[in-house]
Amino acid sequence: MDRCVVLVDAGYLLGAAASLLAGEPARSRISVDHAALIQGLRERAEADTERPLLRIYWFDGAPDRVPQPEHRRLRVMPRVTVRLGALTRSDGRWAQKGVDAAMHAELTELARNRACSDIVLVTGDGDLLPGLMSAKEHGVAVHLWAVQAADGDYNQSEDLVAEADERRVLDRAWITRAVRARELSGVCSSPPAPRPEIAAILSAPLPESAGEPATAAPATRNGSAAAPAATAPVAGTTRAPAAAQGGATDPPTAKGVPTPKDLAELNRAVGGPPGTPATVPSATLRWSSDKGWVDRGGGPAEPPETAALPTLAQLTSAEQRWADREEDITAVSGDPFEVGQVFARRWTERLNTPAHLQQLSTEYPRIPHRIDGELLRYAARFGLLAHKDDQIDEHDRYAIRAGFWREVDARTASVEAATRDA
């Protein structure tokens, strides 16, 4: 077949690009325009081989072979197939497992089946030498591409270079069409821009001392007052109480960031006078994981009207479910804040009872446990699970919930405006 195929070792391509542009091979040091990169690979391959492109195979590693956001974007691009190996951590370093074997198998299979006349290899790994030699024996021309080395030396196996039929170098000018070094401050990456929504969730009001029940109404995301709550402070956290209704909240202090475990402990009853039992219990908080619901401590269950709020699955038809998956694959990047917004948009748009939206708003900043669990399971589809105990990173959880509340705010405002105009 007079056509070409490109096999890309993403670990090599992006690692070498990071070394060239940022001075170290960490892929976190670069930002990649994957659409521009794929288009550049296609144009360069067709020009070098003088053959039309059949397909680009993108080989990369991922924890438990779960596609990450970049893999989700790549695999829906025309003429791109993503093959994932495992990504494991050993001695504090990440290592790919199975990527070389997958590339070797694809290389030899394409050549054996005469699926193409030319194969472009973007790799530096000498383990592919037997596959390269096998492809040549089947009459396939092998083009080996390198990324310009930061030190001007080889960053590929010399045996691989010696056996290739053609060799090209992707220089800095070509790389920078699709790859950029991230801006740095000293030796550390610039901190992300602050998100007021996350700060608002972290500044859920607490009383000044354990002996005082909370009486001030906590401010909601848009500045209005929510229902008062009686809570006890969490050990190790210090936050200013909210102002009275209609006033602004004081910013939270920087002493500690409460975890879900900390917040769950707020269900302890507020103590009364010495010698008397506690009489003002706060709401029970339930935090979800992929292994089920986790109840922290005692206390009453959620109010019946809150527990009865429908989940997104209950509000979604089969047709909508298919459309949601299509949108997830093609349009949702996987940013935690965006994931929370998308989930909340679907939930609020499909509600047919405005009272449900009002009930949810009174629970801020705590998402009812059934909806919260569904939200976190949805987020897990985008590779947001941390690489330890299959849990979502704590900061990502706050961002997911902040995105959720931002979208709920927008929907609540539009409903209230429509009600006033009616």
Side-chain angles (χ1 to χ4, degrees):
M1 287 287 189
D2 291 334
R3 51 193 181 183
C4 67
V5 170
V6 181
L7 306 184
V8 179
D9 179 349
Y12 166 77
L13 173 60
L14 300 182
S19 294
L20 178 64
L21 302 181
E24 61 179 90
R27 287 161 62 169
S28 60
R29 295 288 303 274
I30 57 175
S31 58
V32 183
D33 182 341
H34 290 91
L37 181 57
I38 292 299
Q39 183 62 27
L41 289 170
R42 177 171 187 166
E43 291 174 356
R44 183 67 178 264
E46 291 181 336
D48 279 10
T49 65
E50 299 181 347
R51 300 285 189 271
L53 178 75
L54 171 62
R55 190 172 297 115
I56 295 175
Y57 289 90
W58 185 273
F59 296 87
D60 203 0
D64 298 324
R65 291 184 168 85
V66 176
Q68 303 298 292
E70 66 181 272
H71 304 139
R72 299 174 66 87
R73 290 191 292 270
L74 283 163
R75 67 184 183 180
V76 296
M77 293 181 184
R79 303 285 179 141
V80 176
T81 296
V82 175
R83 297 279 189 261
L84 294 179
L87 191 63
T88 59
R89 192 173 182 85
S90 177
D91 297 328
R93 300 182 63 182
W94 290 103
Q96 294 183 159
K97 300 293 183 182
V99 173
D100 297 339
M103 287 190 72
H104 180 278
E106 199 70 56
L107 174 61
T108 55
E109 193 71 10
L110 288 167
R112 184 182 300 112
N113 293 328
R114 302 186 182 277
C116 56
S117 60
D118 295 74
I119 291 179
V120 175
L121 282 178
V122 186
T123 186
D125 198 330
D127 290 344
L128 285 176
L129 181 61
L132 185 154
M133 297 174 65
S134 175
K136 290 174 60 178
E137 291 171 359
H138 284 89
V140 174
V142 179
H143 304 249
L144 183 65
W145 289 1
V147 175
Q148 179 182 339
D151 56 5
D153 201 355
Y154 280 101
N155 56 12
Q156 292 176 303
S157 161
E158 292 190 21
D159 290 335
L160 208 61
V161 171
E163 282 292 333
D165 294 306
E166 301 282 349
R167 183 171 184 260
R168 296 285 183 271
V169 176
L170 305 177
D171 59 17
R172 179 186 292 268
W174 190 93
I175 292 293
T176 52
R177 294 176 188 173
V179 182
R180 296 285 187 275
R182 295 186 187 276
E183 294 295 329
L184 300 177
S185 176
V187 297
C188 300
S189 299
S190 299
R195 278 179 168 153
E197 298 82 3
I198 298 179
I201 287 180
L202 297 181
S203 63
L206 293 174
E208 290 286 1
S209 65
E212 299 178 15
T215 56
T220 61
R221 287 85 60 207
N222 55 16
S224 61
T231 56
V234 178
T237 63
T238 303
R239 290 176 291 179
Q245 181 167 340
T249 59
D250 294 330
T253 62
K255 183 182 177 182
V257 175
T259 66
K261 181 178 179 181
D262 295 330
L263 292 176
E265 291 175 355
L266 293 178
N267 64 357
R268 294 175 300 177
V270 177
T276 63
T279 57
V280 190
S282 63
T284 295
L285 296 182
R286 297 184 182 182
W287 298 91
S288 59
S289 71
D290 60 328
K291 299 178 181 178
W293 310 117
V294 179
D295 291 328
R296 302 281 186 181
E302 290 179 327
E305 56 273 20
T306 299
L309 288 175
T311 63
L312 179 60
Q314 292 171 329
L315 298 169
T316 303
S317 67
E319 293 78 8
Q320 289 172 325
R321 188 172 296 108
W322 187 94
D324 289 348
R325 290 294 287 174
E326 183 73 10
E327 181 185 15
D328 290 344
I329 292 171
T330 60
V332 182
S333 70
D335 173 76
F337 190 82
E338 180 193 13
V339 167
Q341 286 185 299
V342 171
F343 182 94
R345 170 175 56 79
R346 293 172 183 169
W347 192 85
T348 56
E349 286 178 350
R350 294 166 192 175
L351 282 175
N352 51 20
T353 305
H356 286 158
L357 188 60
Q358 296 170 1
Q359 177 63 33
L360 176 66
S361 295
T362 65
E363 298 295 319
Y364 179 82
R366 302 159 185 155
I367 304 173
H369 76 274
R370 287 200 309 155
I371 297 173
D372 187 54
E374 189 180 35
L375 170 61
L376 296 180
R377 287 193 296 273
Y378 172 67
R381 297 180 188 173
F382 296 91
L384 291 176
L385 292 177
H387 308 317
K388 180 182 179 182
D389 301 328
D390 289 334
Q391 298 294 315
I392 295 177
D393 177 78
E394 197 58 42
H395 184 272
D396 285 346
R397 287 189 180 218
Y398 284 127
I400 291 164
R401 290 163 178 146
F404 177 91
W405 284 116
R406 165 61 70 86
E407 195 65 26
V408 169
D409 276 346
R411 178 64 174 173
T412 302
S414 65
V415 169
E416 291 175 350
T419 303
R420 287 194 302 269
D421 296 339

